[in-house]
Amino acid sequence: MIKPELTDYKRPEKLSEYPQATCYKAGHLVTKNSGWRSKRPVVNTDKCVGCFRCYMYCPDGVIFKKDGKVDIDYDFCKGCGICVKTCPITAIQMEDE
Ligand code: SF4
Ligand code: SF4
């Protein structure tokens, strides 16, 4: 059965219409998982061009839009490094915790 709130869903047609973060409305991120992460992704905001590719590919939805670029919620980032692999201009690097 379709939940009532999903009937209002409008498919985004432009990146600007996507929510601030892919888990923005879910509200289910309650267990912080950063404790076992050994490396963290760090965004070079001087280099980032705001293509939001990393935002689209992060499996945990913890990359969010900020000032036309991206930032990362380290409380929930698991350090998988997928964002680093998907950035076309290497604007994200993994750094030791
Ligand atoms: S390291 Fe993984 S979980 Fe963390 S922001 Fe990048 S893709 Fe998302
Ligand atoms: S993929 Fe790279 S350039 Fe694109 S928004 Fe993410 S960090 Fe910025």
Side-chain angles (χ1 to χ4, degrees):
M1 191 174 114
I2 298 174
K3 291 183 180 176
E5 65 267 26
L6 294 181
T7 57
D8 295 333
Y9 178 76
K10 179 180 173 294
R11 185 187 178 98
E13 294 177 357
K14 298 181 291 190
L15 268 175
S16 60
E17 294 174 353
Y18 278 74
Q20 183 190 12
T22 52
C23 285
Y24 184 60
K25 285 194 174 179
H28 297 309
L29 295 176
V30 291
T31 306
K32 292 185 181 181
N33 58 8
S34 56
W36 43 263
R37 189 182 58 221
S38 58
K39 289 180 179 286
R40 65 166 56 193
V42 176
V43 179
N44 180 339
T45 51
D46 290 334
K47 206 170 174 186
C48 173
V49 294
C51 68
F52 301 121
R53 192 169 162 138
C54 56
Y55 157 102
M56 298 294 280
Y57 277 94
C58 171
D60 284 9
V62 299
I63 297 180
F64 57 93
K65 297 176 176 180
K66 187 178 179 187
D67 301 329
K69 299 190 178 186
V70 292
D71 205 350
I72 296 169
D73 186 341
Y74 289 122
D75 281 348
F76 301 102
C77 164
K78 61 189 175 191
C80 66
I82 289 174
C83 53
V84 174
K85 297 283 185 187
T86 58
C87 179
I89 57 169
T90 59
I92 313 179
Q93 299 284 329
M94 296 302 279
E95 294 184 3
D96 289 338
E97 287 287 339

